[in-house]
Amino acid sequence: MRRLVMILAATALLAGCGKKEAAPEVRPPAEVTVMTVTPRDTPVSYEYVGQTQSSHQVQIRARVNGFLDQRIYTEGAMVKAGDVMFQQDKKPFQAQLEVARGGLAEQQARLQTANDNLAQVKPLAALNALSVKDLDDATGQQQAAAAAVQSAKATVVQAQLNLGYTTITTPVTGLSSFARVQDGAYVNAENSLLTYVEQIDPIWVNFTLSENDLLALRTEQAAGALRLPPKDEYTVELVLADGSIFPQKGKITFANASFNSQTGTFLLRATLPNPSGELRPGQFVRVRVSGAVRINAIRVPQQAVLQGAKGHFVVVIDKESKAEIRGVQVGQWYGDEWFITAGLKPGDVVATDGVVRLTPGAPVKIVPPAAPAARQ
């Protein structure tokens, strides 16, 4: 029995010695698509939040006291320069004009009498038939009558103006507001504001630039990385709330002289044509300012840029076709690409697809990008 156990043990030992250790599994190189870094001049745009404003808001006020007969315009409608908006009671002012005209006629008659009297006194005074005092009195009466005529003429003009003021028109073309005084009310200095008219073609768009953004632009320009348009002739485009693009483009027409000390921002204003009245005052829009060019900019697809605990990084393929993790500094987006401001140089080969499967030093196989799927 003991001999049988020893034979079985020896047989098992020989069988175990005959087995070979399994070789470690060799993984094939990961397949990736790549791009070669090639700097190029790239036009850039900047976006800000803005709000539309009327380019000319006018208060429509009554200039004379009196009863308001009628509102002529339709509230909220577009009105043209010169359109009648309100009509005040004309009768009292028409009467004042007639009184002024009568006063003028009276003074003109007195002037005529004074002129005739002076014409008679002068030759008699020359013959010493009348005293010098008589001549001086006649001359003074003529001059006083002439002054009274001028005063009466001014009174007539003022009465004509007051009568004309009873017909209240708009000096600008724009959108009308609601009437703040109703028909039949008595209008005086306390309630002279009748409505507003806001010109909307062209329309203004106000937006602000932060101090940090302005300093960054100046720094990039001084370093030769950014070229700004000559004479600051930027092109302004608006993105509306639904994502659509406003069809008209404009220019920056105003820059405030100083920063806002409370917000640390710099006020800018753009002017855009608005012939169809699509934009209304008070709307919030995204202001897209273009015209600057980034010099020798490096761009990579957004999917090529990953973010880790130490910041953004990309995977660079070295000359031995191995993956290298490279930290980068990113700038703003450009479509579906990202500006890289530091970390890459011309000629670097960056993995753009299959990046998440790579580890430092892993071998890779560069393959052409997959063709886009055909539309059904």
Side-chain angles (χ1 to χ4, degrees), residues 343-358:
L344 291 177
K345 61 183 183 299
D348 283 342
V349 178
V350 178
T352 60
D353 199 6
V355 180
V356 295
R357 302 190 300 270
L358 300 179

Side-chain angles (χ1 to χ4, degrees), residues 136 164 189 210 254:
D136 291 343
S210 71
F254 171 77

Side-chain angles (χ1 to χ4, degrees), residues 15 47 79 88 127 181 192 294:
E47 281 197 6
V79 293
Q88 288 181 270
L127 297 173
V181 179
S192 62
R294 197 172 293 280

Side-chain angles (χ1 to χ4, degrees), residues 104-122 134-135 137-149:
L104 174 60
E106 180 181 357
Q107 296 303 327
Q108 287 174 333
R110 290 179 179 178
L111 175 60
Q112 183 61 44
T113 301
N115 287 336
D116 294 343
N117 185 43
L118 180 61
Q120 294 175 358
V121 170
K122 280 184 177 180
D134 292 333
L135 177 61
D137 290 344
T139 303
Q141 291 173 0
Q142 190 276 337
Q143 291 175 346
V149 168

Side-chain angles (χ1 to χ4, degrees), residues 167-309:
T167 301
I168 302 170
T169 62
T170 172
V172 298
T173 298
L175 285 175
S176 60
S177 182
F178 62 90
R180 286 161 172 75
V181 179
Q182 301 303 315
D183 297 354
Y186 185 79
V187 179
N188 54 27
E190 295 181 355
N191 64 343
S192 62
L193 178 59
L194 304 180
T195 189
Y196 289 92
V197 173
E198 295 185 292
Q199 183 176 349
I200 59 173
D201 184 25
I203 197 164
W204 288 347
V205 180
N206 297 319
F207 61 100
T208 56
L209 179 66
S210 71
E211 185 175 4
N212 290 337
D213 289 342
L214 182 59
L215 292 176
L217 288 174
R218 291 176 176 174
T219 300
E220 289 183 313
Q221 183 185 20
L226 189 68
R227 182 172 67 242
L228 302 182
K231 300 181 181 180
D232 292 335
E233 293 183 351
Y234 296 92
T235 299
V236 176
E237 189 177 51
L238 301 184
V239 182
L240 305 182
D242 60 356
S244 62
I245 304 298
F246 183 64
Q248 303 291 336
K249 297 182 180 181
K251 301 289 184 182
I252 294 177
T253 54
F254 171 77
N256 203 8
S258 59
F259 277 90
N260 186 317
S261 59
Q262 296 180 346
T263 62
T265 56
F266 187 59
L267 176 64
L268 298 171
R269 176 189 296 154
T271 303
L272 291 88
N274 187 31
S276 63
E278 181 178 351
L279 293 178
R280 299 297 180 94
Q283 284 183 247
F284 284 97
V285 294
R286 296 205 308 274
V287 183
R288 185 174 294 166
V289 181
S290 58
V293 177
R294 197 172 293 280
I295 308 300
N296 291 327
I298 294 177
R299 310 193 316 258
V300 298
Q302 291 179 15
Q303 71 267 19
V305 181
L306 304 178
Q307 189 170 11

